[in-house]
Amino acid sequence: SINSAAVSQGNERVIRPRFADAKFFWDQDCKVKLDSQREATKKIVFQQKLGTLFEKTERVSVLAGFIANEIGADQQQAMRAAELSKCDLLSNMVQEFPELQGIMGSYYAKHDGEDDAVAAAMQEQYQPAFAGDVIMGIFAIDMKPTGSKDPFSLRRAALGALRIIIEGNLDLDLKALLLQAASGLKEKVDASNAVEDAFTFMMERLKAYYQDQGINTDTVNSVASLHPIHPLDFHQRVKAVSTFRDLPESESLAAANKRISNILKKVDSEIPTEVSQELLNEDAEKALYKAVVAQQEKVQPLYAKGEYSEALSSLAVLREDVDNFFDNIMVMDNNESLKNNRLALLSQLRALFLEVADLSRL
């Protein structure tokens, strides 16, 4: 505009009354404690089959306490934050300015003298909230998303929950959390049969998460095939496989895993678990056995600590012995004892990689 002063004055005329309203609502809201609004949430239906907003926050409080206990956080603060989490929805301010939900809860909690962590949780719940209770409840009443329809935004909530766990470096058992959420719903609905579906639904959201990071779908599938139940552990495995694929040995070892997988699938009888050194009569199988034993001793401590990248990098040294084995050894020998011994060796070799992922899927 050629007359910027006039524009400023016009905007001020609009903004001043809104600020005056906000000041009035703040003063009115501060006349009562935030937790005094909890009673009114008993009259607000969250979802017809799942009860009121009050009942939802009660369930989330128990779930938050459970999570806090799992990660060594303050259990009482977590439960208190959940109890107060929806109280600001009843405030004059949020009813006039809905986009301030959570933000105002944080300010009112501070005004009331709540712990800083509790006040911070008011706002952080919308980044988004840990949605175990929401997801379990909707799955339990058979209203899970279908096609493009997702009225409760469960896909966003699921991915948000997973990101909080992964990016917050929280070692949480997702299935245990969903079981806890299901337990909290028992007075409303039997959610126990929905846990597996909810778990699968949530973990499938990770494919898009990693795709956005440029990680191949088959890398994610190689980990998903082992069904890890800790999202953080899942993430560490995916990162390890992604790093492994950059190694020059990876393509050959992935092919070998695929070949071993195909061989073992065709075996009708039970495959022995132990390798008999007396039955190793070819240099190539002796060398592979020696290398496998050495790697078993080296990588098991790494697996125990979740150091999957280091473990796979170590296993890369097996490539030459694996290639020599397949170049020189007939696995399905006519001699039943030799055949079974070689199958046991391949089974042990494959088990080393399966501690991280199913590389045959790469």
Side-chain angles (χ1 to χ4, degrees):
S1 171
I2 58 172
N3 191 347
S4 58
V7 174
S8 295
Q9 289 169 5
N11 284 330
E12 287 169 9
R13 280 197 300 270
V14 174
I15 291 171
R16 278 200 184 98
R18 298 301 279 161
F19 280 164
D21 289 345
K23 176 64 165 62
F24 173 77
F25 294 140
W26 168 263
D27 290 339
Q28 291 299 110
D29 289 337
C30 286
K31 289 179 180 179
V32 297
K33 295 281 190 180
L34 184 63
D35 64 2
S36 69
Q37 304 283 16
R38 287 200 76 210
E39 188 65 25
T41 63
K42 294 179 179 179
K43 298 176 183 177
I44 301 175
V45 175
F46 160 61
Q47 202 284 332
Q48 189 175 3
K49 295 181 180 179
L50 300 177
T52 65
L53 205 55
F54 178 86
E55 291 171 307
K56 171 183 163 55
T57 56
E58 288 286 281
R59 294 193 297 266
V60 174
S61 178
V62 175
L63 183 58
F66 177 83
I67 295 170
N69 188 58
E70 290 292 301
I71 62 175
D74 189 303
Q75 196 170 19
Q76 294 305 313
Q77 287 183 347
M79 296 181 74
R80 179 63 171 169
E83 289 171 358
L84 298 177
S85 60
K86 305 303 178 185
C87 289
D88 70 343
L89 299 180
L90 282 300
S91 67
N92 292 293
M93 186 78 82
V94 172
Q95 289 185 40
E96 181 67 21
F97 303 102
E99 64 274 18
L100 293 181
Q101 60 183 345
I103 295 171
M104 292 316 303
S106 178
Y107 282 114
Y108 292 138
K110 286 180 182 177
H111 180 270
D112 292 347
E114 299 285 349
D115 288 319
D116 288 344
V118 172
M122 298 294 100
Q123 187 169 344
E124 291 175 358
Q125 65 175 304
Y126 292 100
Q127 297 179 356
F130 182 80
D133 175 67
V134 179
I135 293 170
M136 274 313 312
I138 303 304
F139 267 74
I141 60 175
D142 200 25
M143 291 183 65
K144 61 186 177 184
T146 56
S148 60
K149 294 181 179 178
D150 186 10
F152 291 91
S153 299
L154 295 194
R155 292 186 178 95
R156 183 186 67 83
L159 183 54
L162 291 167
R163 285 189 61 193
I164 288 171
I165 294 172
I166 291 170
E167 295 171 23
N169 205 38
L170 305 176
D171 187 16
L172 288 166
D173 180 335
L174 179 60
K175 194 163 283 188
L177 297 184
L178 291 171
L179 284 167
Q180 180 69 27
S183 175
L185 288 160
K186 62 188 175 188
E187 292 184 9
K188 292 292 179 183
V189 62
D190 181 5
S192 57
N193 293 329
V195 169
E196 201 61 43
D197 275 353
F199 175 79
T200 301
F201 170 80
M202 291 187 72
M203 294 302 285
E204 282 178 352
R205 307 280 74 75
L206 286 175
K207 291 180 181 178
Y209 175 67
Y210 290 114
Q211 194 171 30
D212 289 343
Q213 298 178 35
I215 295 175
N216 291 340
T217 301
D218 60 349
T219 294
V220 181
N221 289 338
S222 73
V223 174
S225 65
L226 301 186
H227 308 292
I229 57 178
H230 289 69
L232 181 60
D233 182 66
F234 188 106
H235 177 71
Q236 290 165 340
R237 291 167 185 262
V238 167
K239 290 295 186 183
V241 175
S242 186
T243 301
F244 173 75
R245 295 186 78 159
D246 292 334
L247 299 177
E249 299 89 351
S250 65
E251 189 173 342
S252 176
L253 286 171
N257 270 272
K258 191 170 293 186
R259 186 172 180 179
I260 295 168
S261 177
N262 290 333
I263 290 171
L264 297 179
K265 281 178 186 175
K266 294 175 183 176
V267 178
D268 296 329
S269 58
E270 188 175 342
I271 298 170
T273 55
E274 298 297 325
V275 176
S276 171
Q277 293 188 63
E278 290 74 19
L279 292 173
L280 299 171
N281 55 16
E282 300 285 345
D283 289 341
E285 61 183 336
K286 289 177 182 177
L288 180 59
Y289 173 73
K290 183 179 178 181
V292 167
V293 170
Q295 284 302 312
Q296 284 173 336
E297 294 177 359
K298 187 171 183 179
V299 301
Q300 287 305 330
L302 295 175
Y303 288 145
K305 293 184 286 186
E307 295 175 358
Y308 301 119
S309 290
E310 292 85 342
L312 285 181
S313 296
S314 179
L315 293 179
V317 303
L318 290 169
R319 185 184 73 169
E320 185 176 343
D321 289 318
V322 171
D323 289 346
N324 287 338
F325 178 88
F326 281 117
D327 287 343
N328 297 288
I329 302 297
M330 174 65 71
V331 178
M332 307 307 281
D333 196 277
N334 291 329
N335 183 311
E336 194 75 9
S337 297
L338 291 179
K339 180 189 76 172
N340 286 334
N341 205 50
R342 289 164 182 170
L343 288 173
L345 176 56
L346 291 182
S347 180
Q348 286 192 9
L349 171 63
R350 182 155 159 72
L352 278 176
F353 291 94
L354 282 174
E355 291 279 350
V356 181
D358 184 356
L359 300 190
S360 70
R361 292 176 173 261
L362 301 183

